[in-house]
Amino acid sequence: MKFFKSLFLTLLIFSCSNKEKGRWQQHVSYKMVIDVDAESRSYIGTQELVYSNNSPDTISRVFYHLYFNAFKPGSEMQVRASEINDDDRSISKKILSLDRKDYGDVRVLELLQDGAVLDIINQETILEAGLKNPLLPGEKTTLSMRFEVNVPQQIRRSGKDSEDGVAFSMAQWYPKLCEYDSQGWHANAYIGREFFGVWGDFDVTINIDKNYTVAGSGYLQNPEEVGHGYAELKKPYDSDKISWRFLAPNVHDFSWAADTEYVHDVVDVPGGPKMHFFYKEDDKYSKNWKIVQPYSVLFMQYFIEKIGPYPYKQYSVILAGDGGMEYAMCTFIGGVRNFESLAGVISHEIAHTWFQFLLATNESKHAWMDEGFTSYISDHAENEILEKGLDFANRRAYVDYFKVVRSGLEEPLTTHADRFSSSRNYGMASYDKGSIFLSQLGYIIGEEALSKVLKKYYSKYVFTHPDPEDFIRVAEKVSEQELDWYLMDWGQTTKTIDYAIKSVKKTNTEGCDSVTILMNRKGEMAIPNDVEVEFVSGIVKEYHIPLLMSRGHKPLDSGVVLLEPWSWAKKNYSFNICVDDDVVVGITIDPLNKSADVDQTNNSI
Ligand SMILES: [Zn+2]
């Protein structure tokens, strides 16, 4: 009952915000039952999908993702990984060395629309089917299928028998309907990264050998029948397999993991969800996975406070997969890690919940709005909760960005996630330049306004797939500045910022002994500037130069002198300051180095 109540509330929230935007989005309701053969690491399943067409368009064909088909020689993933110019080559090598029994394979045996058999075209990781009855605007249809799956050896994100010895790391494990939005179908082949999906409700039943503990998205419906740390068993198992039934309301994906050796701890977040931890008793994991639990609670509370409410009653941290990857109501984390690495990856993956899961921008097109925003907020959370003592939590992102700029190989932030020329460029653009997008926005509109922007952006666009323009409009309204120039120059080009102090001359203007400071914009990208002037007497004065095209400026602390705005086309700008009996000893542009000025050697004199 609670499930439907919370579902109703969340649907209410998101239909209201959609109405306000005059936007629409599709809806799915999945019912899946799979029967797992744990020994051969395979399963057969049925899927009943009710697809609601909320678009103004008639849908005549549908597309599904079949992600596991990427894990076999000759796949787009393998070929691309073999050609890309860095670490991803190891993925190609791993796929090429698979035995046939370890290939990933998803076979859709039959697909029906409201009982009528559909013709299907299978193109590796994408399946296409023409509808017998085109789906009219405002109508729904039921698509049912039978499928069988051979779980691939775990190479990237999901699969069987991970390096940590986890039997099933099951992300992207079922035929998943592609998203259709105002920009059409997003039938992106699985080449390496980023996922996008349709919001809806998942009802998933997993039949598996009774020795396995299953962890994942969704609320377990029958804890007393399964035990395994969820509840006391009501009665002993009466067969070799048990059925695990999960309901996940209003999510756009469903993931699960299973192993016979999982330890299962549950911790309450005060005023928040229950956190479940699944890991192995082995000394390699158990110590840090135990110590990290209260920190994980603090991370969850930090993000709730800084961004907005977490709308589910559960979140699971699961030893599975590789690296760290965010999923619905859970994360998979792989590898033997020291405490700092484990806490850092947990912070990052929990933060993803807000950006990858609850806002869910199309990550293939705008990976920076997911990875970058996540990195920004998780760096701050780690600095505070792990007491790192950094004066500027996002500094590392700037260091990485400057390196790539110097290499001359930078690509625009807005590049399809699979089409960066190297993984390094993808990583720098998505994580670092995306994180700087926010910290530098704090420099432009003020830190207080930035924190309001994050909250407002979340509350307005939760469950709606916002895009970059949606974000910048929130920033514009909160800051009362025009910021389209920022989104365009930082988000769509590789133009760089470089301001310099050109000269300082003694003058006598406005009836006082003064100096004239001449500044020069050397970089192609403009930005507002803080300037700090230090006098021999020890006095420090601060000045702010707005950017004219912002048509406004950030709130200034008392004592900060507001100067005339600097227009974009003019590369030089000068201002006078009275010095009277004092002597200027130093002038610095952006003393806290929050703008990504690529040459800081000319920032002070
Ligand atoms: Zn991430």
Side-chain angles (χ1 to χ4, degrees), residues 157 194 324-326 348-349 352 370-372 374-375 426 431:
R157 303 307 181 207
E194 307 308 354
M325 185 65 193
E326 66 278 7
H348 181 92
E349 304 313 329
H352 262 303
D370 172 30
E371 292 299 352
T374 295
S375 300
Y426 157 78
Y431 292 73

Side-chain angles (χ1 to χ4, degrees), residues 473-492:
R473 283 298 290 139
V474 172
E476 288 187 336
K477 286 177 185 172
V478 170
S479 67
E480 298 184 10
Q481 292 191 43
E482 297 304 310
L483 296 164
D484 49 335
W485 59 269
Y486 183 56
L487 177 62
M488 189 162 265
D489 289 2
W490 190 256
Q492 295 168 3

Side-chain angles (χ1 to χ4, degrees), residues 184-408:
W185 281 105
H186 297 278
N188 277 314
Y190 185 33
I191 293 174
R193 46 176 70 105
E194 307 308 354
F195 307 101
F196 189 45
V198 194
W199 265 295
D201 307 313
F202 285 71
D203 177 342
V204 178
T205 300
I206 298 163
N207 296 311
I208 192 167
D209 184 288
K210 64 185 176 190
N211 295 318
Y212 283 79
T213 301
V214 180
S217 313
Y219 306 119
L220 182 64
Q221 298 300 297
N222 53 341
E224 288 153 347
E225 286 168 34
V226 304
H228 288 282
Y230 285 93
E232 287 291 315
L233 267 186
K234 234 195 234 160
K235 58 180 178 63
Y237 305 125
D238 50 15
S239 69
D240 291 342
K241 279 190 177 180
I242 44 180
S243 277
W244 299 67
R245 183 169 177 226
F246 296 92
L247 294 181
N250 211 17
V251 291
H252 56 73
D253 202 3
F254 185 102
S255 308
W256 59 279
D259 197 73
T260 54
E261 291 172 2
Y262 272 148
V263 180
H264 178 188
D265 297 333
V266 185
V267 180
D268 275 310
V269 177
K274 274 193 190 316
M275 293 189 82
H276 293 245
F277 294 83
F278 298 87
Y279 54 100
K280 295 205 174 201
E281 195 63 275
D282 191 308
D283 286 350
K284 287 188 290 194
Y285 307 100
S286 52
K287 184 169 157 247
N288 288 331
W289 276 74
K290 202 87 193 172
I291 307 172
V292 86
Q293 292 175 10
Y295 290 92
S296 306
V297 168
L298 293 174
F299 288 131
M300 180 60 85
Q301 289 177 308
Y302 184 93
F303 302 128
I304 290 171
E305 188 201 321
K306 301 289 181 190
I307 317 171
Y310 176 79
Y312 310 107
K313 293 191 291 282
Q314 177 187 311
Y315 185 87
S316 301
V317 183
I318 305 164
L319 177 72
D322 58 349
M325 185 65 193
E326 66 278 7
Y327 299 109
M329 303 163 71
C330 67
T331 174
F332 289 3
I333 291 170
V336 176
R337 293 168 183 273
N338 62 33
F339 170 75
E340 184 145 285
S341 160
L342 183 61
V345 73
I346 289 176
S347 162
H348 181 92
E349 304 313 329
I350 295 177
H352 262 303
T353 294
W354 280 261
F355 300 107
Q356 195 266 355
F357 231 87
L358 295 166
L359 289 157
T361 296
N362 184 343
E363 311 172 65
S364 297
K365 295 175 82 168
H366 312 292
W368 60 279
M369 291 181 74
D370 172 30
E371 292 299 352
F373 289 13
T374 295
S375 300
Y376 169 84
I377 199 84
S378 63
D379 282 350
H380 280 272
E382 286 162 53
N383 195 29
E384 189 175 312
I385 291 161
L386 303 179
E387 296 175 6
K388 288 187 166 180
L390 303 174
D391 61 337
F392 185 31
N394 305 104
R395 180 68 65 211
R396 193 176 40 92
Y398 288 65
V399 174
D400 292 347
Y401 165 68
F402 294 143
K403 270 188 212 157
V404 174
V405 169
R406 278 196 296 271
S407 76

